[in-house]
Amino acid sequence: MVWQMAASAPTMISAPSISDTYLVDPHLLRTFVTVAELGSFSAAADRLGYTQSAVSQHIAVLESDLGTPLLHRRPVTPTPAGERLLEHAGAILLRLAAARADVHRAVGDPPGTLTIAASPLAAVGGRLATALTAVRRSHPGTVVTLTVCGRAEVAHGVAVGEYHLGLIDGVAAPTDPLLLVDAGTLRTSAVAHDALVVALANDHPLAKRRRIALHDLVDARWIDAPDVAAPLAALRAATDSDGFRPALTYTGSDLTTLLDLVAAGHGLAVLPAALAPTATTVPLTTPRLQHRIDLLHGHLPGIAAASLAAALAG
């Protein structure tokens, strides 16, 4: 209750209740996102396990709550208001899933289990393998599951509780954090960093250079390999340029395959120096960037996860 002062005697007025505020039902929001993603009410019903009439009702209720149409029906596409809602929906649903995962972490997982996700470049180099050896010696019998997947999948999986720990790599200035999804209580700590080099074919005109600035490579031929090299979007952002356009796109996660493509002259790639010791490379000078590996986690629920985190950070 709050007091309202007036010229006459004070009068009590009721504070707004939750029912007086506008809340978006997450079930309705999830249905809306699925319909918008698939462009079909029937396909959304199949994915969500609802009837098509239930999906239609969800959308109708959400549109009634918000007071505006959110989807065109033929074809099924977001209206301008629906586009606005989609800008918020992913973050809202992720935060709700992260909150549920954080509650489950407080209860704790079955002892003796440890799940880890790592982006491809964060998984190689031996650091993770060495840390796991230390953990298995100190906690024998621990069942470890390691999943190697894309950077976004690592961050999302840790946020929603699929994994206890994540190792994620990326390119950033020495004093800048890696850009991650907004997932509430996730924590990060530095694990390793390395200088960046440009990998190129042995007969490339720049192969004999002692060093090179990234700005000089804006119009070069590039291989877009976002999971096993510096993403071209990160290079564009670092140089404030719209260059760095791919001549070839590689969606795999095998570093050897990428280096074979580079050696065959299909394009350049920016890599951490330690991961390309036998390739033809030229060190990058400006802008000042480094390859980083960070540990990503929520509240650590068990001693095995805490031990691995300590071993990686050490």
Side-chain angles (χ1 to χ4, degrees):
M1 311 295 278
V2 297
W3 289 95
Q4 183 180 55
M5 300 303 295
S8 57
T11 303
M12 284 194 301
I13 60 173
S14 298
S17 66
I18 292 178
S19 61
D20 294 326
T21 61
Y22 292 98
L23 300 178
V24 176
D25 186 318
H27 297 291
L28 304 183
L29 188 60
R30 186 171 290 107
T31 299
F32 165 69
V33 170
T34 306
V35 172
E37 176 189 345
L38 299 178
S40 166
F41 281 69
S42 59
D46 289 341
R47 174 179 290 185
L48 296 171
Y50 298 148
T51 64
Q52 186 171 337
S53 61
V55 169
S56 298
Q57 185 177 16
H58 283 191
I59 299 302
V61 171
L62 185 59
E63 290 178 328
S64 177
D65 285 348
L66 295 176
T68 185
L70 298 171
L71 292 169
H72 299 295
R73 274 18 183 211
R74 289 187 178 87
V76 178
T77 57
T79 65
E83 293 282 4
R84 292 288 184 89
L85 182 58
L86 282 173
E87 292 176 6
H88 299 278
I92 292 171
L93 294 174
L94 178 59
R95 289 299 294 267
L96 289 172
R100 177 183 291 273
D102 216 27
V103 171
H104 288 169
R105 290 187 190 103
V107 177
D109 291 334
T113 61
L114 180 59
T115 57
I116 311 154
S119 56
L121 291 190
V124 298
R127 180 178 293 270
L128 177 57
T130 300
L132 283 173
T133 298
V135 170
R136 301 196 72 166
R137 285 174 178 166
S138 58
H139 305 286
T142 298
V143 177
V144 178
T145 301
L146 171 63
T147 300
V148 177
C149 52
R151 298 176 181 92
E153 288 82 2
V154 173
H156 184 273
V158 175
V160 302
E162 293 178 15
Y163 311 113
H164 295 126
L165 299 169
L167 275 177
I168 193 166
D169 77 290
V171 172
T175 57
D176 290 345
L178 294 180
L179 296 178
L180 302 173
V181 295
D182 177 15
T185 59
L186 290 187
R187 297 165 170 80
T188 60
S189 56
V191 170
H193 61 84
D194 192 10
L196 289 170
V197 295
V198 180
L200 32 68
N202 188 53
D203 59 354
H204 193 281
L206 300 175
K208 303 301 183 182
R209 294 275 292 270
R210 297 184 62 184
R211 61 186 62 85
I212 195 166
L214 194 57
H215 294 84
D216 295 337
L217 301 172
V218 168
D219 297 321
R221 289 170 54 86
W222 288 92
I223 297 175
D224 187 16
D227 285 332
V228 283
L232 297 189
L235 303 186
R236 286 192 288 270
T239 56
D240 193 23
S241 165
D242 61 357
F244 300 98
R245 297 301 172 184
L248 183 149
T249 298
Y250 173 58
T251 60
S253 59
D254 181 66
L255 182 59
T256 301
T257 299
L258 173 61
L259 292 176
D260 287 343
L261 292 170
V262 170
H266 292 289
L268 312 183
V270 171
L271 297 166
L275 297 185
T278 61
T280 301
T281 61
V282 178
L284 276 178
T285 54
T286 57
R288 290 189 63 207
L289 298 172
Q290 62 180 206
H291 179 258
R292 291 253 304 278
I293 298 176
D294 283 359
L295 179 67
L296 182 65
H297 61 86
H299 294 288
L300 294 175
I303 55 175
S307 296
L308 180 60
L312 288 167

